């Protein structure tokens, strides 16, 4: 999505929305990072903190999906997860729509979903590099497994994967449409090979792989660390007490193993450690995940490709977004690192990567 599809929302408009629709007076508003939407953290005159989200117009036209997303958040809150609470407007609505200029202040106006949520206190995990360690990654893996377990039987209704969603690995072939910005021929060939591997693997074993509701954007800037938490070894018993989670706009029903691969790839692109330690991250994540719930043989076999296609998505879509959204520096986070790690991991075989991970799994009493 290019910059021309992001809603333009001024701080003045934020104050007007709060006053008119929520009967709240704002004393401050700060724009938060977002790839495609506009998010503002607002503080009211009585000291309360909220997040006002204006969803991009392309994701605002599916009312059933918007309501299904709210249903998932409420479901997770009911299962002990720390998530933002939705705030109703003066008419009792959790979501509503208004027109906003798209792309620039004098751009055409389109309908966008508006929602207000409570602000989740704590620090985004992506800003806590000093706490990154094997036990933390293990906790993250356990946290994702707890989320998948809580959504085990959640219905697909309203959350069916959009076939045009290039961020979901089930639609790996969609990446081909975003590769015109890539300059290196060898890298383009390697990415095409990864795409073909994912597509052929899904044809071969997709029928036996687990599908279900996923968060869809389970990365370290959407995971909130409670301020006092530093002892991850003690917290691995129940990661829900350690982490909160935000931003549920990408919830959908798809293959769950790709979310595990995305978590591993995201952690590797954002780590500040040696290559050897970074390559071990997948072992820590899987040790945490598998301590909570099991994966089928077919899903385990897919993990290497799931990590590789995640690197491809970060690099291809990040590069394309940077060429389009020159006003949004958030787009470039992790793009260069994803390219470097894609090269590094492709130089290894799946077997070589598992040889790095397996001893870490054994240390946690998990045999593959």
């Amino acid at each position: 999505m290019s910059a021309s599809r992001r809603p333009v929302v001024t701080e003045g408009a934020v104050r007007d929305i709060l006053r008119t629709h929520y009967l709240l007076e704002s004393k401050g508003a700060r724009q938060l990072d977002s790839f495609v939407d506009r998010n503002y953290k607002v503080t009211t005159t009585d000291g309360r903190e909220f997040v006002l989200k204006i969803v991009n117009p392309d994701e605002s036209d599916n009312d059933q999906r918007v309501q299904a997303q709210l249903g998932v958040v409420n479901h997770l809150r009911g299962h002990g997860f720390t998530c933002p609470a939705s705030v109703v407007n003066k008419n009792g609505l959790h979501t509503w729509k208004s027109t906003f200029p798209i792309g620039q202040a004098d751009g055409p106006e389109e309908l966008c979903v508006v929602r207000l949520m409570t602000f989740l206190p704590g620090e985004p995990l992506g800003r806590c590099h000093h706490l990154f360690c094997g036990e933390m990654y293990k906790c993250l893996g356990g946290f994702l497994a707890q989320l998948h377990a809580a959504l085990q039987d959640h219905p697909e209704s309203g959350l069916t994967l959009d076939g045009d969603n290039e961020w979901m690995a089930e639609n790996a072939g969609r990446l081909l449409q975003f590769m015109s910005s890539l300059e290196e021929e060898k890298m383009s060939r390697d990415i095409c090979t990864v795409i073909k591997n994912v597509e052929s693997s899904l044809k071969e074993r997709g029928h036996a792989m687990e599908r279900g509701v996923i968060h869809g954007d389970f990365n370290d800037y959407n995971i909130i660390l409670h301020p006092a938490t530093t002892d991850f070894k003690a917290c691995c018993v129940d990661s829900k007490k350690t982490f909160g989670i935000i931003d549920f706009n990408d919830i959908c029903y798809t293959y769950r193993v790709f979310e595990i691969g995305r978590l591993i790839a995201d952690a590797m692109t954002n780590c500040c450690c040696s290559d050897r330690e970074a390559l071990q991250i997948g072992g820590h994540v899987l040790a945490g995940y598998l301590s909570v719930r099991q994966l089928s043989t077919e899903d385990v076999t897919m993990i290497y490709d799931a990590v590789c296609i995640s690197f491809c998505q970060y690099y291809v879509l990040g590069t394309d977004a940077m060429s389009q959204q020159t006003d949004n520096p958030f787009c470039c986070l992790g793009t260069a690192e994803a390219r470097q790690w894609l090269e590094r991991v492709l130089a290894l075989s799946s077997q070589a990567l598992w040889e790095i991970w397996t001893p870490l799994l054994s240390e946690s009493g998990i045999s593959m």
Side-chain angles (χ1 to χ4, degrees):
M1 181 180 297
S2 69
S4 63
R5 302 304 296 155
R6 296 182 77 205
V8 175
V9 188
T10 65
E11 290 189 21
V14 170
R15 288 193 296 270
D16 289 343
I17 289 171
L18 289 174
R19 181 182 302 113
T20 304
H21 295 275
Y22 296 95
L23 308 180
L24 297 170
E25 291 295 330
S26 169
K27 71 174 183 180
R30 175 171 62 88
Q31 187 169 181
L32 305 175
D33 292 330
S34 178
F35 207 85
V36 293
D37 303 322
R38 296 287 179 181
N39 299 326
Y40 278 89
K41 177 188 175 184
V42 295
T43 304
T44 60
T45 52
D46 59 4
R48 288 180 292 168
E49 295 179 318
F50 301 92
V51 172
L52 182 71
K53 173 179 278 290
I54 314 297
V55 181
N56 68 84
D58 301 305
E59 295 180 8
S60 293
D61 59 0
N62 190 330
D63 294 334
Q64 185 183 18
R65 180 175 294 276
V66 170
Q67 296 308 312
Q69 290 168 348
L70 286 175
V72 170
V73 176
N74 290 334
H75 178 84
L76 290 175
R77 286 173 56 84
H79 281 72
F81 287 81
T82 302
C83 311
S86 179
V87 180
V88 297
N89 67 8
K90 66 180 182 181
N91 297 319
L93 300 176
H94 288 275
T95 65
W96 51 284
K97 293 182 181 181
S98 184
T99 57
F100 296 89
I102 303 303
Q104 52 191 18
D106 60 352
E109 294 196 349
E110 296 186 41
L111 279 174
C112 297
V113 166
V114 181
R115 62 172 60 156
L116 186 68
M117 301 160 285
T118 55
F119 177 76
L120 213 59
E123 191 71 21
L125 190 58
R127 296 178 184 165
C128 301
H129 286 184
H130 61 291
L131 298 178
F132 287 9
C133 62
E135 289 296 335
M136 188 275 288
Y137 293 123
K138 184 177 180 181
C139 284
L140 269 184
F143 186 49
L144 179 58
Q146 288 179 311
L147 185 144
H148 285 175
L151 296 173
Q152 179 73 38
D153 300 314
H154 199 85
E156 180 181 356
S157 177
L159 299 172
T160 300
L161 177 64
D162 182 351
D164 291 332
N165 188 338
E166 62 275 4
W167 279 105
M168 295 300 133
E170 186 175 344
N171 299 330
R174 286 275 300 162
L175 287 182
L176 297 173
Q177 301 180 35
F178 296 86
M179 291 175 58
S180 60
S181 298
L182 304 186
E183 297 178 353
E184 300 176 64
E185 185 176 342
K186 182 182 183 303
M187 178 57 67
S188 295
R189 289 199 306 268
D190 287 343
I191 292 171
C192 288
T193 299
V194 174
I195 292 171
K196 289 178 181 177
N197 288 343
V198 169
E199 291 179 331
S200 62
S201 294
L202 287 178
K203 288 180 181 178
E204 177 183 345
R205 63 179 70 95
H207 66 282
M209 292 165 54
E210 183 188 19
R211 290 170 61 83
V213 176
I214 68 168
H215 178 273
D217 198 10
F218 195 88
N219 70 71
D220 56 10
Y221 279 89
N222 286 334
I223 297 167
I224 306 300
L225 182 66
H226 299 304
T229 302
T230 56
D231 185 1
F232 290 105
K233 185 173 292 187
C235 293
C236 280
V237 177
D238 185 2
S239 297
K240 296 198 303 292
K241 296 179 180 179
T242 306
F243 301 117
I245 187 164
I246 62 174
D247 196 350
F248 293 85
N249 267 33
D250 294 302
I251 296 171
C252 64
Y253 192 95
T254 186
Y255 295 102
R256 283 183 162 155
V257 69
F258 289 125
E259 186 147 68
I260 302 172
R262 175 76 65 80
L263 172 57
I264 294 171
D266 180 74
M268 290 175 68
T269 60
N270 293 333
C271 72
C272 299
C273 57
S274 68
D275 280 8
R276 179 69 182 180
E277 290 172 317
L279 289 169
Q280 290 177 329
I281 287 174
H284 295 301
V285 168
L286 289 168
Y289 191 96
L290 293 170
S291 69
V292 175
R293 67 194 305 267
Q294 296 301 303
L295 292 172
S296 69
T297 300
E298 290 77 13
D299 283 318
V300 169
T301 303
M302 194 71 182
I303 289 177
Y304 176 79
D305 285 335
V307 172
C308 290
I309 194 63
S310 296
F311 285 134
C312 292
Q313 289 171 312
Y314 278 128
Y315 177 54
V316 172
L317 298 176
T319 300
D320 178 76
M322 285 190 293
S323 71
Q324 303 287 339
Q325 297 191 42
T326 56
D327 65 335
N328 188 6
F330 186 67
C331 294
C332 69
L333 289 181
T335 301
E337 292 82 359
R339 179 199 175 282
Q340 294 168 3
W341 276 114
L342 178 59
E343 282 189 319
R344 183 80 171 84
V345 171
L346 287 178
L348 297 170
S349 64
S350 174
Q351 179 180 346
L353 201 54
W354 276 103
E355 286 174 355
I356 296 172
W357 293 346
T358 300
L360 300 170
L361 294 172
S362 298
E363 289 175 9
S364 296
I366 297 170
S367 58
M368 300 300 293

